[in-house]
Amino acid sequence: MGLQEVWFILIAVLFTGYFVLEGFDFGVGMHMPILGRGRGEVADTRRRVLLNTIGPVWDGNEVWLITAGGALFAAFPEWYATLFSGFYLPLLLILLALIVRVCAIEWRGKIDDPKWRRRCDMGIIFGSWVPAVLWGVAFANIVRGVAINADKKYIGGFFDLLNPYALHGGITTALVFALHGAVFLALKTSGEVRRDAVALARRLAIPTVVVAGSFVLWTQLAYGKGWTWILVIAAAAALLAVVALTSVEREGWAFVFTTVAIAATIVLLFASLFPNVMPSTLDPAWSLTIENASSSAYTLKVMTWAAVVMTPVVLVYQGWTYWVFRQRISTDHIPKSIGLKLGAK
């Protein structure tokens, strides 16, 4: 195995980690209007519970995307250039949504005003739903292939990216992240919020199995390889296990299996893509591969040594963060805001 294959695998690992960790962050934000329902103090307290479940970790989870993007730029610059120029509008929308989400989470409690908090909540919802859908659309198009010419440039339009397979991918990631987030909230909360999260996870489980199961099957039949049937079976079995586990309120194991389902699906996408990194639908000879899109051997060697040194440090630190903040949260742990104490409207 050469360094090009190693870095293709490492980028797949980074995106898998991002979607597993940021996936439940998106799910929490997507559920703000459902699990954060109510009026006045009740709604505000429930929404603060939801945000506190991801409060210590959400920004660390986003680092996986930054690292994946940096690794993509350094290891496969041609892939990075074609991807970010060709998918400019959807990736810009993802970036805009993530910025809105960051600002909304960070600034929500800075002004003690109910209207301000509602606007921030809308920003969190927007910043969670948009990436949850568009990441699926983007990765489905990468696997399917796009109109790349001999100069390694994407010559299609935005609406060419909205094909049936890609839209199916977007619905799949949205549903899977919503289920992942609901199970995470059931695992991290107690009391009424936990009961509602468990009930929501039960309602989401079966439609997620149907939509995600059909997407991975479509991917396998159209783009997969013989050995990737293992990943299809793993993803399907994991989702079926989530259906059973949510019905008996075993949210810990359910979270393990939503993680397995996401990981198996992302690995399936990358495995179906290999050795291409962006197939061309115009001429297979114009496809970007791990060979014609990669950096020099020296660059890959330097990057490999940096990854060997730094990756264990990052993993240990992030694992320690999750361990420290492992306790459940309930509405009893949330103090009243000053404005509500004073009877602000």
Side-chain angles (χ1 to χ4, degrees):
M1 182 183 295
L3 289 179
Q4 293 164 333
E5 289 83 357
V6 168
W7 275 98
F8 181 85
I9 293 172
L10 288 176
I11 289 170
V13 169
L14 288 169
F15 274 109
T16 300
Y18 172 70
F19 288 127
V20 167
L21 297 175
E22 190 77 335
F24 65 73
D25 290 343
F26 290 148
V28 170
M30 293 161 74
H31 296 319
M32 287 281 282
I34 302 171
L35 298 179
R37 66 183 183 277
R39 293 189 177 184
E41 182 180 353
V42 173
D44 184 66
T45 301
R46 289 174 65 99
R47 295 186 177 196
R48 288 167 67 189
V49 168
L50 303 186
L51 291 177
N52 274 289
T53 61
I54 61 173
V57 297
W58 68 268
D59 48 354
N61 294 341
E62 289 193 337
V63 172
W64 286 77
L65 175 61
I66 298 171
T67 307
L72 190 65
F73 172 77
F76 299 101
E78 294 286 354
W79 184 7
Y80 181 94
T82 303
L83 175 64
F84 278 79
S85 59
F87 290 25
Y88 182 81
L89 183 54
L91 292 177
L92 178 63
L93 289 173
I94 291 174
L95 179 60
L96 174 63
L98 292 176
I99 292 172
V100 170
R101 176 171 163 265
V102 168
C103 295
I105 293 176
E106 290 288 349
W107 297 348
R108 186 182 189 276
K110 301 301 183 183
I111 300 178
D112 192 24
D113 177 65
K115 290 183 179 179
W116 171 260
R117 287 192 289 268
R118 284 196 296 271
R119 293 188 184 113
C120 288
D121 291 343
M122 292 301 297
I124 295 169
I125 296 166
F126 170 80
S128 299
W129 271 100
V130 171
V133 174
L134 290 184
W135 276 126
V137 172
F139 270 84
N141 274 298
I142 292 173
V143 173
R144 173 182 176 271
V146 291
I148 298 174
N149 64 14
D151 296 323
K152 301 178 182 178
K153 294 180 180 179
Y154 173 66
I155 59 174
F158 172 74
F159 291 101
D160 294 327
L161 302 177
L162 303 181
N163 52 80
Y165 177 70
L167 293 175
H168 195 167
I171 297 171
T172 296
T173 50
L175 276 175
V176 170
F177 291 160
L179 176 61
H180 195 43
V183 172
F184 174 78
L185 287 169
L187 179 64
K188 284 289 295 177
T189 59
S190 59
E192 183 181 359
V193 177
R194 175 186 173 272
R195 290 192 296 271
D196 290 345
V198 169
L200 179 59
R202 287 174 182 163
R203 293 196 297 271
L204 286 170
I206 293 178
T208 302
V209 168
V210 174
V211 173
S214 58
F215 176 72
V216 296
L217 183 60
W218 188 348
T219 301
Q220 174 61 30
L221 294 176
Y223 313 105
K225 301 172 175 64
W227 69 269
T228 53
W229 277 108
I230 298 172
L231 299 169
V232 175
I233 294 170
L239 288 172
L240 290 173
V242 174
V243 174
L245 291 164
T246 52
S247 66
V248 294
E249 299 187 13
R250 298 295 299 273
E251 57 266 23
W253 279 107
F255 184 74
V256 169
F257 282 106
T258 55
T259 298
V260 170
I262 293 172
T265 301
I266 301 303
V267 174
L268 171 65
L269 293 175
F270 274 90
S272 301
L273 186 61
F274 184 85
N276 294 321
V277 293
M278 285 193 75
S280 172
T281 56
L282 301 179
D283 188 336
W286 297 342
S287 298
L288 297 181
T289 68
I290 62 170
E291 294 181 355
N292 64 23
S294 71
S295 294
S296 67
Y298 180 76
T299 300
L300 296 178
K301 186 181 295 185
V302 172
M303 290 173 58
T304 302
W305 279 111
V308 168
V309 173
M310 296 304 300
T311 302
V313 176
V314 173
L315 292 176
V316 169
Y317 174 77
Q318 192 162 25
W320 175 79
T321 303
Y322 276 92
W323 175 256
V324 170
F325 296 101
R326 66 188 183 277
Q327 300 298 327
R328 292 178 181 266
I329 303 171
S330 71
T331 53
D332 295 334
H333 297 126
I334 305 298
K336 293 182 179 181
S337 66
I338 296 175
L340 291 171
K341 286 182 179 179
L342 297 177
K345 301 295 185 183

